[in-house]
Amino acid sequence: MNQERIYKVLLGPHVSEKASLVAESNQVVFRVAADATKPEVKRAVEQLFNVKVEGVQILNRKGKLKRTVRGFGKRDDLRKAYVRLAEGQEIDFVDVE
């Protein structure tokens, strides 16, 4: 996988209360591109962060419909990847080059 594709697959970490809860079970949550596949996410995380990935689960969240003054609006859809790291592996987002 080339370097350009790595940066297009992983859009960034997803920070939420649930993401901090699953971090205790050695998982990290990333926002990923709409066309990203599980093998692509696995290779991108392994190459970018130099860690061993055991598994990847991908979740698609549909954007909510919200009422506005001008009618209805729709929030953006979101695709997340829950990445399970091997024992003893961790990702420190502060120390990434």
Side-chain angles (χ1 to χ4, degrees), residues 20-61:
S20 63
L21 288 175
V22 299
E24 296 172 2
S25 63
N26 216 18
Q27 285 186 336
V28 183
V29 184
F30 290 99
R31 286 181 289 119
V32 295
D35 61 343
T37 62
K38 288 182 181 183
E40 282 181 332
V41 171
K42 180 178 179 177
R43 279 189 301 239
V45 171
E46 286 178 345
Q47 287 180 8
L48 193 61
F49 298 105
N50 296 323
V51 294
K52 178 74 174 117
V53 174
E54 286 185 353
V56 176
Q57 294 177 324
I58 292 186
L59 174 122
N60 291 313
R61 189 190 75 195

Side-chain angles (χ1 to χ4, degrees), residues 2 9 26 34 42 56 66 77 90-91:
N2 61 10
V9 168
N26 216 18
K42 180 178 179 177
V56 176
K66 290 291 185 177
D77 296 337
E90 67 178 28
I91 296 176

